[in-house]
């Protein structure tokens, strides 16, 4: 089942309007997550909202937003007052301009969303807007309100739909001068560049996300499975880094290392299979932890009762 839309409204290019829905294009729900437990009892930790001065628990109905002017001095703002300043673009993505993709500094990118027609009407208008952006090879810049905040959104065609990427405002991007001004001006010799280029050429390829494994996630799965099986967890020996002072020597060694990899592709392929096997078992193990009922029932049928009790703790 497709996820629920984060936002529904209208996409408008001048007088051309169509109803659309906006969905998150990424998810981290498949990653392992942990609960905090009381070490003594094994019970989950529960957080409550309390008054910082009295220590009394406060209900949601009695909680209001406040802006801190000075230490301990706040300006209260009610929900009704926030609704009064709601922006007109709350229900409409208005396309303001078209720009080249290369004009958008990657520091301004926040997160992507899928945009598609909402319902059975408006597909023709949606297609006109989508194909216009595609034909012009441009990025459409508009505005959208999510969680009461107005965001800049960059719209690009993808297959039969659109991808809308939220953008930061200039005041949200820090100046690089704060971090780069103290970097020393170093003259890189031609020999160093030639060796570095050789390494780059040896590693050249095309970006394919499916090639990359989340090694930390795989290690977490192995850790939990080992503890589940009652194995003793012993610390592993960490590889020691080499202290190479001579930069040219380091570059030469790197070139030799990459040439060696090219000469033995069969050996390089074998270790890659292990993470894929771990990832294949990830779903079976993750679902009970994430609380997905169907998978939990399936897993509990396969596991002994003691294992099920330990998991719920």
């Amino acid at each position: 089942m497709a996820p629920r839309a984060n936002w529904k409204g209208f996409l408008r290019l001048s007088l051309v309007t169509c109803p659309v829905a906006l969905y998150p294009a990424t998810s981290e729900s498949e990653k392992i997550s942990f609960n905090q437990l009381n070490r003594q009892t094994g019970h989950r930790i529960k957080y409550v909202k309390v008054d910082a001065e009295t220590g009394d628990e406060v209900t949601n109905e009695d909680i209001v937003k406040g802006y801190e002017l000075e230490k301990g001095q706040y300006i209260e703002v009610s929900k009704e007052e926030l609704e009064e300043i709601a922006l007109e673009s709350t229900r409409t993505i208005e396309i303001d301009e078209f720009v080249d993709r290369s004009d958008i500094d990657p520091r301004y990118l926040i997160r992507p969303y899928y945009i598609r027609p909402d319902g059975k009407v408006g597909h023709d208008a949606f297609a006109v807007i989508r194909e216009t952006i595609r034909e012009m090879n441009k990025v459409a810049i508009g505005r959208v309100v999510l969680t009461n905040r107005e965001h800049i959104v960059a719209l690009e065609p993808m297959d039969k739909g659109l991808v809308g990427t939220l953008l930061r405002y200039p005041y949200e991007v820090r100046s690089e001068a704060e971090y780069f001004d103290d970097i020393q001006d170093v003259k890189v010799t031609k020999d160093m560049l030639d060796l570095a280029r050789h390494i780059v050429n040896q590693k050249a390829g095309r970006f394919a996300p499916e090639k990359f494994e989340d090694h930390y996630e795989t290690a977490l799965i192995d850790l939990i499975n080992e503890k589940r099986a009652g194995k003793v967890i012993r610390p592993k020996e960490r590889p020691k880094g080499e202290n190479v002072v001579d930069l040219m020597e380091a570059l030469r060694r790197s070139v030799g290392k990459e040439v060696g990899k090219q000469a033995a592709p069969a050996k390089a392929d074998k270790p890659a299979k292990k993470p894929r096997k771990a990832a294949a078992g990830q779903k079976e193990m993750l679902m009970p932890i994430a609380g997905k009922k169907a998978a939990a029932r399936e897993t509990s049928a396969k596991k002994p009762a003691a294992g099920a009790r330990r998991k719920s703790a």
Side-chain angles (χ1 to χ4, degrees):
M1 182 181 295
R4 295 175 61 183
N6 278 29
W7 180 93
K8 289 187 176 184
F10 296 90
L11 176 63
R12 183 162 61 202
L13 172 61
S14 189
L15 299 179
V16 180
T17 305
C18 60
V20 295
L22 183 147
Y23 301 85
T26 59
S27 171
E28 296 192 354
S29 63
E30 294 300 319
K31 286 188 174 182
I32 287 180
S33 60
F34 293 100
N35 294 311
Q36 291 186 321
L37 307 178
N38 182 337
R39 186 193 297 272
Q40 304 299 324
T41 65
H43 300 155
R44 285 187 61 178
I45 300 298
K46 179 182 178 182
Y47 289 93
V48 294
K49 297 176 181 179
V50 299
D51 188 299
E53 297 295 329
T54 67
D56 297 332
E57 186 173 349
V58 183
T59 63
N60 288 334
E61 293 77 18
D62 291 327
I63 297 177
V64 297
K65 294 182 183 295
Y67 175 80
E68 189 173 25
L69 289 176
E70 299 176 6
K71 186 68 175 179
Q73 182 180 355
Y74 300 90
I75 295 292
E76 292 186 7
V77 181
S78 68
K79 181 181 177 181
E80 292 74 22
E81 289 170 331
L82 290 173
E83 289 175 350
E84 283 294 321
I85 63 169
L87 302 168
E88 293 182 5
S89 55
T90 301
R91 306 309 305 166
T92 303
I93 301 176
E94 181 81 42
I95 296 177
D96 295 325
E97 61 179 346
F98 294 85
V99 302
D100 292 332
R101 184 66 179 82
S102 59
D103 288 345
I104 302 177
D105 188 321
R107 293 176 296 176
Y108 285 79
L109 305 177
I110 301 178
R111 74 181 68 89
Y113 290 89
Y114 293 136
I115 300 174
R116 53 158 294 160
D118 184 30
K120 297 181 179 180
V121 298
H123 286 247
D124 291 347
F126 182 86
V128 168
I129 296 174
R130 180 196 65 214
E131 293 309 310
T132 300
I133 300 172
R134 196 194 308 273
E135 179 69 22
M136 299 295 293
N137 195 25
K138 295 284 188 178
V139 176
I141 303 296
R143 291 161 289 142
V144 63
V145 174
L146 297 173
T147 61
N148 297 325
R149 287 275 186 174
E150 186 176 56
H151 299 269
I152 311 167
V153 62
L155 306 173
E156 300 176 83
M158 175 179 281
D159 195 18
K160 295 190 293 183
L162 292 170
V163 173
T165 304
L166 298 189
L167 304 178
R168 293 181 175 88
Y169 287 98
Y171 69 83
E172 297 178 280
V173 178
R174 293 176 176 176
S175 170
E176 69 279 5
E178 300 177 49
Y179 309 93
F180 296 165
D181 279 357
D182 293 337
I183 297 177
Q184 298 178 11
D185 292 325
V186 177
K187 182 174 179 59
V188 181
T189 67
K190 182 179 182 302
D191 289 342
M192 289 182 177
L193 284 176
D194 288 342
L195 286 169
R197 287 194 193 100
H198 187 76
I199 297 169
V200 172
N201 289 331
Q202 292 292 331
K203 288 179 170 289
R206 296 187 64 184
F207 178 67
E210 62 274 7
K211 292 192 302 185
F212 298 95
E213 300 284 348
D214 188 339
H215 296 109
Y216 182 72
E217 188 78 1
T218 301
L220 279 178
I221 293 169
D222 291 342
L223 173 64
I224 293 174
N225 280 332
E226 288 174 6
K227 291 180 71 71
R228 201 180 207 175
K231 294 183 180 180
V232 177
I233 307 301
R234 293 184 174 87
K236 298 178 181 178
E237 186 178 350
R238 298 284 182 182
K240 296 179 181 179
E242 298 182 47
N243 185 21
V244 180
V245 179
D246 189 335
L247 183 56
M248 281 295 293
E249 179 61 22
L251 288 167
R252 290 192 185 99
R253 287 189 193 180
S254 298
V255 169
K257 181 180 177 181
E258 295 307 318
V259 170
K261 286 182 181 179
Q262 295 292 326
K267 292 183 179 179
D269 289 339
K270 290 183 179 179
K273 293 181 180 179
K274 185 177 179 181
R276 286 198 289 270
K277 289 181 181 177
Q282 177 176 358
K283 194 170 184 181
E284 180 183 352
M285 200 205 78
L286 271 179
M287 283 186 174
I289 293 177
K292 298 181 181 177
K293 296 181 181 178
R297 287 195 295 270
E298 180 183 346
T299 304
S300 62
K302 296 179 181 178
K303 301 291 179 183
R309 287 196 298 270
R310 182 60 182 166
K311 178 188 67 177
S312 59

